[in-house]
Amino acid sequence: MSSCAEARQAQTCRAIARYKMVGEGLAASWGLIAVSLSVYHLIIAHMCITLVHLKRAFPFIPPVIGRLRKPVNPKLTRRRFIKGVIASGVAATSTSLWYSATGADRPAGAVERLLSINVNGQVRRVDVAPQETLAHTLRYKLGLTGTKLGCNRGECGACTVVADDVNIYACSTLTHEVKDKAVVTVEGLRAADGTLHPVQAAFVAELSPACGFCTAGQVMSAFALLKNNPRPTREEARQAMSGNLCRCGAYDHYLNGVMRASGQLS
Ligand code: FES
Ligand code: FES
């Protein structure tokens, strides 16, 4: 082969090698692009699925997610939602809030949160969590702080109130249990003109309160006793008041007060 032919062949070989390199480079970059696009789509698909599930789990989450799907229950308005969380709703589960919006499609066993309770002769509308105690509702939702919290576990009687003429520990009673009862707290005893109830007046006359922390509970137990037994013996009164502890030890003064209120001590 002549040197001229060899030079041409070598040139051709170099050209072919260059084309090969360019071809491989293009294939590699297209492959990379294809892989990145797949990963990108995969991520987008996962995000969409996550958002849809979030929307299902928390239907009240507003617009951005809400637009992905039609709301499950269009009756859930902002006003209803706020009603559902008034005063304590932070701890509420999204499920109970959701169903409180309509009531009609509430599942069996779900508890109505918005209650009407009769307290001191007035019907009060209040949002109550299923596990909420009456003492909590009275003190922190209705502002009736005359009901004291001592032990908060049914031992001291400081939280005593009366429901349908029976004295109960408000710290150990669920508010939902009294929704059909007439509840009376110490605030409900005084007359509209400010006159003290006979039990309160008798306790004042007998100097019953010392520090006064147990007094509201003592008053309510005495009130319930005299409703059911207007002229108790001292022993009956002692029994009836035995659920109310007094750290100041003013028991005899309270008993004297009960006897005075019943008209047996002057
Ligand atoms: S606070 Fe309720 S019994 Fe003590
Ligand atoms: S008066 Fe103080 S605890 Fe009863």
Side-chain angles (χ1 to χ4, degrees), residues 148-159 169-172:
K148 303 298 178 211
L149 271 174
C151 64
N152 203 14
R153 58 180 189 190
E155 288 178 359
C156 70
C159 63
Y169 289 158
C171 73
S172 311

Side-chain angles (χ1 to χ4, degrees), residues 60-230:
F60 53 86
I61 292 178
V64 179
I65 296 173
R67 272 189 213 117
L68 293 176
R69 281 208 157 202
K70 247 178 83 186
V72 180
N73 185 347
K75 287 183 184 172
L76 182 62
T77 61
R78 185 168 174 272
R79 175 181 287 267
R80 283 189 171 133
F81 172 72
I82 290 170
K83 264 186 181 174
V85 290
I86 291 167
S88 81
V90 178
T93 64
S94 58
T95 315
S96 61
L97 278 172
W98 178 250
Y99 285 108
S100 73
T102 62
D105 48 357
R106 192 179 308 120
V111 179
E112 168 69 80
R113 287 179 58 107
L114 220 45
L115 294 187
S116 297
I117 22 177
N118 185 331
V119 182
N120 298 332
Q122 284 185 321
V123 176
R124 307 285 298 268
R125 196 88 170 127
V126 62
D127 176 67
V128 180
Q131 74 284 7
E132 189 171 312
T133 65
L134 180 57
H136 184 93
T137 307
L138 292 173
R139 287 181 61 83
Y140 305 117
K141 304 272 179 81
L142 301 179
L144 298 171
T145 51
T147 302
K148 303 298 178 211
L149 271 174
C151 64
N152 203 14
R153 58 180 189 190
E155 288 178 359
C156 70
C159 63
T160 304
V161 297
V162 172
D164 279 356
D165 296 341
V166 177
N167 50 337
I168 58 171
Y169 289 158
C171 73
S172 311
T173 304
L174 293 179
T175 308
H176 282 268
E177 290 178 56
V178 299
K179 65 182 175 188
D180 298 319
K181 298 182 178 175
V183 177
V184 182
T185 69
V186 73
E187 290 91 345
L189 294 191
R190 207 171 50 168
D193 63 357
T195 310
L196 292 181
H197 187 275
V199 170
Q200 293 172 308
F203 280 11
V204 171
E206 291 298 328
L207 301 178
S208 306
C211 78
F213 193 81
C214 70
T215 305
Q218 305 274 9
V219 168
M220 296 317 292
S221 284
F223 169 71
L225 166 67
L226 298 181
K227 270 239 158 193
N228 296 303
N229 181 2

